[in-house]
Amino acid sequence: MMERAVHRDERTVSVENASYRWAYLFLSFGLLLSTAYRGFVRGEQSWDLLVLVVVGGLIATLYQGGRGVLSRRWALVAAGAVALALVLAAALALLVR
């Protein structure tokens, strides 16, 4: 019997998924920093970059939610993060005026 070489196993998939995660985080935070720089330093509107970050996160969330992998704890943490972001945004808006 001939032995077949294994080209993809669980470890390969795990490493690939980790690399995609790191790349996504790098791109997302890079876009956020670019958005902040454009807004605070150059005084430019950069909604296009901010929309890319938000839509990227929304796509991942909808995909995972559709597959039933999100927990109740995740929903509570996400709601808390959104609430904190809204408070910080309101505080920044008041300070900038």
Side-chain angles (χ1 to χ4, degrees):
M1 179 162 43
M2 289 181 17
E3 288 189 35
R4 293 175 28 193
V6 176
H7 296 288
R8 290 178 52 87
D9 59 359
E10 294 85 11
R11 182 186 172 282
T12 303
V13 172
S14 175
V15 169
E16 286 176 350
N17 288 339
S19 71
Y20 297 146
R21 179 179 183 272
W22 281 107
Y24 173 77
L25 288 172
F26 178 80
L27 287 173
S28 294
F29 282 102
L31 284 171
L32 285 173
L33 287 173
S34 179
T35 301
Y37 176 78
R38 283 186 182 187
F40 292 123
V41 175
R42 296 174 63 181
E44 298 176 359
Q45 297 294 324
S46 52
W47 293 108
D48 54 341
L49 298 179
L50 195 58
V51 167
L52 285 173
V53 173
V54 171
V55 169
L58 186 62
I59 289 171
T61 301
L62 291 174
Y63 185 84
Q64 292 174 9
R67 302 301 185 276
V69 297
L70 300 178
S71 65
R72 183 178 306 270
R73 181 178 182 277
W74 179 91
L76 291 173
V77 170
V82 168
L84 179 63
L86 290 173
V87 168
L88 289 174
L92 280 173
L94 290 173
L95 287 174
V96 171
R97 279 191 192 189

